[in-house]
Amino acid sequence: MNLDTTVRDGMTPFEAVNHFFARAAEINQLGDAAIEVLAGTYRELRVQLAVRRDDGSRLICNGYRVQHNGARGPYKGGIRFHPEADIEEVRALASLMTWKTALVDVPFGGAKGGVQVDPSRLSEPELERLTRRYTDQIGSVLGPQRDIPAPDMNTNAQTMSWILDQYGRKYGHTPQIVTGKPIALGGSYGRTEATGRGVVMTMDEAVSDAGLGDPSEVSVAVQGFGNVGSWAARIAAEEGYRIVAVSDIEGGIHVPGGINIDQLVAHVADTGTVTGFPGSDAVSNESLLELDVDVLIPAAIGEVITTENADRIQARIVVEGANHPTTPVADRILGDRGITVVPDILANAGGVTVSYYEWVQNNQEMRWSLEDVNRRLEAKLRRAYQQCREFQSGHEGLSLREAGFSLAVARVVEAAELRGYI
Ligand code: NAD
């Protein structure tokens, strides 16, 4: 088993997550069987997807569903459409889901799906055919008590609707088969913005711990303006934080006095990108990460904070909206420089938390109010944050990430032992 507590450049995404697991295994003094089970994955399904294009030609690509560990409950994790969603990336994301669900204590395991495709090159009908084909081909490992997908990069409530419909054709109407659905199909109030809201809730905690003062005195840069980044920026701005820079795949914008996020959302609705926002300076995605801000929120892709730039990050706090945006070597550099990192398994866990609430509401055949959802979300995330802080204070010198992984690993191990897996 390739488990590495030393840090080095060039780790694959799954090796990088397993590096953090290995640290937690050391802290928890896990035995060999536990390490072997949890450093691997339970099931990996690869399917070949052949989909008719609008011009009659065929698109052929790979689809994956990886189930990492199900000791604590049904597998749970999003589906990503991305050219780099290969098996290593999907394994990494699936394992992060196991640790995330355990850390916020929702009764799920960890899984992830990926289709290795560039969705920006596909029409809406092509995306629908691709989603339905993928659902048919991974359907046998899904189930409302078995494995429950959700949105991730380049997938959304519409994608979930197609999955729900396609799954229902074969197995009967099953709203609990996906979360992140539209309200009209049994979605939950507050799910769309839940990940961004959770990012802001955990940022609030870290800002207060760091004594940075009132939100109006705290400057924030956000990389990525999709589901997570745009909602984090909107909610943070509502709370009074000064959002000075945001970006998307086209590039970034910088307004030192603070961006009017409502106007930016309207600009993105018109133009499809944040770039060219009136009154802003252009900034590259690379320079955005190195701006002199109080808080940096990477909320796009993985591995953007690396050995190359970790020395130049100026933020006091990094809140990981994206999954694995910081490589293990960079994580160590940030730690040595006294920069607090709120790790992905905590910072972006708001999404899976409200996904759990959506699944519960579907099982109850009830709908909770937005206030109820947000109140429960806030209690859960603040508790998880505080538990990480308490673990840190009991163990000299641990980062929030090491504390979070240690708590999560201990919970998964307990469930796996009780079931007799290890
Ligand atoms: P999304 O597809 O809605 O948005 C992605 C954003 O990132 C877009 O603005 C896109 O333009 C930008 N982007 C893409 N490639 C980029 C690049 N190379 N450089 C800079 N910007 C780039 O995706 P999302 O759902 O917001 O997910 C973003 C991240 O958050 C991912 O790492 C995802 O795994 C993680 N996450 C998402 C959820 C969720 O509920 N959607 C939950 C937990 C974690």
Side-chain angles (χ1 to χ4, degrees):
M1 195 51 57
N2 189 6
L3 258 195
D4 208 346
T5 51
T6 58
V7 283
R8 61 184 165 82
D9 281 324
M11 288 176 162
T12 67
F14 189 44
E15 284 171 348
V17 178
N18 268 346
H19 161 77
F20 297 126
F21 163 65
R23 275 290 292 136
E26 203 172 54
I27 292 161
N28 281 297
Q29 300 181 337
L30 296 192
D32 290 345
I35 290 175
E36 189 162 351
V37 166
L38 295 171
T41 61
Y42 169 65
R43 174 157 42 198
E44 300 183 349
L45 181 60
R46 185 194 67 82
V47 291
Q48 188 183 60
L49 302 169
V51 178
R52 183 172 51 78
R53 306 241 13 201
D54 294 339
D55 65 5
S57 66
R58 283 286 181 281
L59 164 78
I60 318 279
C61 60
N62 282 324
Y64 303 98
R65 185 72 184 170
V66 172
Q67 297 169 339
H68 174 258
N69 187 276
R72 300 184 78 256
Y75 298 97
K76 185 87 190 83
I79 291 172
R80 175 177 291 199
F81 289 176
H82 197 277
E84 285 162 26
D86 59 14
I87 186 67
E88 269 292 307
E89 177 72 22
V90 179
R91 277 182 191 136
L93 294 167
S95 62
L96 279 173
M97 289 305 297
T98 300
W99 310 129
K100 195 178 300 182
T101 51
L103 180 57
V104 290
D105 195 18
V106 293
F108 286 138
K112 203 80 178 189
V115 176
Q116 217 171 341
V117 71
D118 181 356
S120 67
R121 302 165 74 99
L122 301 184
S123 69
E124 178 100 347
E126 289 170 341
L127 277 173
E128 178 174 351
R129 288 196 288 275
L130 177 67
T131 305
R132 289 184 183 277
R133 180 58 58 94
Y134 175 66
T135 306
D136 280 343
Q137 294 184 212
I138 66 163
S140 60
V141 302
L142 302 182
Q145 302 291 341
R146 188 173 293 276
D147 186 349
I148 305 140
D152 191 71
M153 278 185 86
N154 298 321
T155 59
N156 54 29
Q158 177 60 74
T159 324
M160 297 306 111
S161 306
W162 292 326
I163 295 176
L164 176 151
D165 184 69
Q166 194 67 17
Y167 186 87
R169 288 180 191 190
K170 189 161 179 186
Y171 300 98
H173 181 59
T174 317
Q176 315 91 303
I177 190 59
V178 281
T179 57
K181 301 178 285 288
I183 299 292
L185 288 177
S188 173
Y189 292 122
R191 173 60 186 90
T192 306
E193 61 272 35
T195 310
R197 188 173 293 285
V199 166
V200 177
M201 286 169 177
T202 56
M203 171 169 78
D204 285 342
E205 295 285 332
V207 162
S208 145
D209 276 348
L212 291 189
D214 187 77
S216 62
E217 290 159 31
V218 178
S219 58
V220 182
V222 185
Q223 181 181 60
F225 205 68
N227 175 279
V228 180
S230 70
W231 280 107
R234 283 162 87 159
I235 295 165
E238 274 166 29
E239 284 195 13
Y241 286 97
R242 193 157 48 89
I243 314 297
V244 297
V246 301
S247 67
D248 61 26
I249 196 165
E250 307 279 329
I253 58 164
H254 186 204
V255 181
I259 299 168
N260 181 319
I261 299 293
D262 290 338
Q263 285 175 10
L264 178 63
V265 168
H267 171 80
V268 172
D270 283 348
T271 66
T273 172
V274 299
T275 58
F277 181 61
S280 68
D281 298 325
V283 64
S284 69
N285 263 295
E286 293 72 31
S287 330
L288 177 141
L289 298 169
E290 299 172 18
L291 287 174
D292 184 7
V293 289
D294 296 306
V295 180
L296 172 64
I297 304 179
I301 51 169
E303 295 175 11
V304 292
I305 304 176
T306 66
T307 325
E308 296 296 312
N309 61 2
D311 273 329
R312 296 195 299 273
I313 303 295
Q314 299 191 62
R316 300 263 306 273
I317 300 169
V318 174
V319 185
E320 294 187 334
N323 282 311
H324 72 86
T326 312
T327 65
V329 185
D331 191 56
R332 175 108 9 131
I333 296 171
L334 296 182
D336 289 346
R337 294 183 54 220
I339 297 172
T340 298
V341 179
V342 184
D344 44 13
I345 59 170
L346 177 60
N348 70 37
V352 74
T353 301
V354 177
S355 273
Y356 167 60
Y357 298 154
E358 180 176 331
W359 182 79
V360 171
Q361 290 169 77
N362 294 154
N363 285 327
Q364 293 178 330
E365 299 184 8
M366 283 180 60
R367 175 163 282 148
W368 305 349
S369 69
L370 178 61
E371 294 68 33
D372 202 6
V373 169
N374 285 343
R375 187 179 45 77
R376 289 171 192 259
L377 171 66
E378 176 153 15
K380 211 160 205 21
L381 287 191
R382 293 204 194 276
R383 183 175 148 83
Y385 183 94
Q386 288 309 330
Q387 287 177 334
C388 289
R389 294 285 286 144
E390 278 159 27
F391 195 90
Q392 263 188 315
S393 47
H395 296 75
E396 186 71 26
L398 289 195
S399 66
L400 267 181
R401 192 190 313 275
E402 287 169 321
F405 267 80
S406 297
L407 284 165
V409 166
R411 289 174 186 165
V412 174
V413 166
E414 185 183 3
E417 277 175 353
L418 287 165
R419 284 177 182 251
Y421 291 172
I422 52 180

